[in-house]
């Protein structure tokens, strides 16, 4: 098994760490949208290894109070993206900024932010059919919202989790699911507007969450700084993990996503030790292969996606470089 990535990007031109990314399909190929630590948004075209900075209108430009802050700029830490017609839509916000929606191509604001709105801990795109919708995790709870200002943000029930810093979405057995993590972890069914379960890690707050399934059974995967938990949404274990937490990274787990490769449910994690690791969720969280190396510094974000017809894990972090790992080759 080789730990050589399928693709390796050049370094982001800002020379700033990449702290979040999303992937959309544009013109028959993938486009990776990134937020760097300076609060700027960039895109990376994997086919041409082309980086492009995306100038965006100030998120509060439509708020009357914006005139009081003429020199203010966006400080975006978390983002999600979706395609609507011919447009790529970017939903983003930050630790000091509420959520807004941009046309990524023009940089214009279909939906601006308002002063006084909650700051953003994390964002994700809702998986499913229909017009794009987004999920925002903040101290105000887990909010679901659409493209226009008329589509008000709807707070999911019992979502007042302290310190939400991570949200994820999935389409499992025809249901659009949302999971959020902070001091504890919750999962919701969007169509029924109800909480399905809540879980409680042993040590500290959750850094990253994802959703997968073992056979037909949905599972929640969550990482706190030291280990990865796997909880089931049904069964006799209540809020206990279905097996012992996964431990492996030195210095803590900082990033997480899931994928299914050949009917094999996997978790892919990134850590402060600059490695990416793969775990078999159906086999008690057993490690798959050796740690994947190459990053110069901690891994801050991992996303699984399709790239040129292959299931890959994209990892990025403090070195400002994106690596695409071929999951099918790595687990064969």
């Amino acid at each position: 098994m080789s730990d050589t990535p399928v693709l390796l990007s050049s370094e982001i031109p800002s020379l700033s760490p990449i702290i979040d990314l999303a992937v959309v399909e544009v013109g028959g190929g993938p486009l990776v949208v990134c937020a760097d630590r300076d609060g700027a948004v960039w895109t990376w075209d994997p086919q041409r290894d082309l980086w492009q900075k995306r100038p965006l209108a100030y998120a509060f430009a439509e708020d009357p109070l914006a005139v009081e802050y003429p020199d203010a700029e966006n400080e975006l830490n978390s983002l999600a993206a979706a395609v609507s017609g011919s447009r790529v839509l970017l939903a983003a916000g930050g630790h000091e900024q509420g959520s807004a929606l941009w046309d990524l191509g023009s940089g214009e604001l279909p939906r601006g932010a308002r002063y006084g709105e909650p700051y953003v801990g994390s964002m994700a795109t809702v998986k499913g059919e229909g017009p794009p919708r987004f999920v925002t995790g903040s101290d105000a709870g887990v909010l679901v919202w659409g493209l226009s200002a008329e589509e008000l943000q709807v707070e999911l029930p019992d979502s007042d989790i302290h310190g939400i810093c991570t949200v994820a979405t999935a389409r499992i057995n025809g249901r659009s699911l949302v999971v959020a993590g902070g001091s504890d972890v919750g999962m919701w069914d969007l169509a029924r507007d109800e909480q399905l379960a809540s879980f409680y890690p042993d040590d500290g707050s959750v850094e990253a969450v994802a959703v997968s399934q073992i056979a037909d059974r949905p599972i929640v995967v969550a990482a706190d700084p030291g280990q990865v938990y796997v909880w089931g949404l049904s069964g006799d274990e209540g809020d206990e993990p279905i097996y012992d937490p996964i431990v492996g990274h030195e210095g803590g787990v900082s990033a997480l996503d899931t994928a299914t490769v050949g009917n094999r449910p996997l978790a892919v994690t990134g850590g402060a030790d600059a490695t990416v690791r793969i775990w078999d969720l159906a086999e008690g969280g057993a490690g798959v292969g050796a740690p994947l190396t190459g990053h110069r510094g901690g891994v801050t974000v991992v996303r699984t996606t399709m790239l040129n017809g292959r299931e890959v894990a994209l990892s990025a972090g403090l070195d400002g470089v994106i690596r695409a790992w071929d999951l099918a080759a790595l687990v064969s």
Side-chain angles (χ1 to χ4, degrees), residues 19 46 63 101 120 128 131 134 141 149 168-169 189 192 199 244 254 267 287 291 299:
I19 59 173
D63 191 303
L101 184 71
V120 173
F134 303 96
T169 64
D189 183 317
R192 296 160 66 178
F199 307 103
D244 289 341
S254 50
V299 177

Side-chain angles (χ1 to χ4, degrees), residues 58 60 64-73 115:
Y58 183 45
F60 299 95
L65 293 177
V67 296
E68 299 181 17
Y69 309 96
D71 299 323
E73 297 179 347
Y115 287 105

Side-chain angles (χ1 to χ4, degrees), residues 74-280:
N74 292 314
E75 297 183 10
L76 304 175
N77 306 113
S78 183
L79 55 80
V83 175
S84 178
S86 61
R87 298 188 300 170
V88 177
L89 299 176
L90 173 72
H95 306 320
E96 301 291 334
Q97 185 167 315
S99 58
L101 184 71
W102 288 266
D103 181 319
L104 189 64
S106 67
E108 296 175 349
L109 274 172
R111 178 171 179 162
R114 291 287 182 267
Y115 287 105
E117 290 180 334
Y119 297 151
V120 173
S122 184
M123 278 191 162
T125 306
V126 174
K127 303 291 195 304
E129 300 176 351
R133 289 189 297 163
F134 303 96
V135 175
T136 300
S138 71
D139 285 340
V142 181
L143 307 175
V144 182
W145 51 284
L147 303 187
S148 68
E150 288 72 28
E151 295 179 76
L152 298 177
Q153 298 187 88
V154 176
E155 181 180 355
L156 295 179
D158 301 313
S159 65
D160 53 344
I161 297 171
H162 177 69
I164 293 178
C165 64
T166 176
V167 297
T169 64
R171 186 80 172 174
I172 302 287
N173 298 331
R175 294 190 294 177
S176 287
L177 304 176
V178 173
V179 60
S183 58
D184 50 275
V185 177
M187 170 169 270
W188 293 264
D189 183 317
L190 287 187
R192 296 160 66 178
D193 191 32
E194 69 174 0
Q195 186 179 51
L196 300 176
S198 58
F199 307 103
Y200 305 92
D202 294 330
D203 301 313
S205 64
V206 166
E207 301 282 338
V209 292
V211 184
S212 187
Q213 62 186 67
I214 298 175
D216 291 328
R217 181 185 183 186
I219 58 172
V220 174
V221 186
D224 71 11
Q227 53 198 348
V228 177
Y229 300 85
V230 181
W231 288 290
L233 295 190
S234 61
D236 299 328
E237 67 279 346
D239 61 1
E240 293 297 315
I242 61 177
Y243 43 73
D244 289 341
I246 301 168
V247 179
H249 285 280
E250 297 179 8
V253 183
S254 50
L256 162 73
D257 205 354
T258 57
T260 301
V261 178
N263 296 320
R264 192 176 181 184
L266 305 172
V268 185
T269 58
D273 57 4
T275 69
V276 174
R277 301 175 185 238
I278 303 173
W279 315 92
D280 191 322

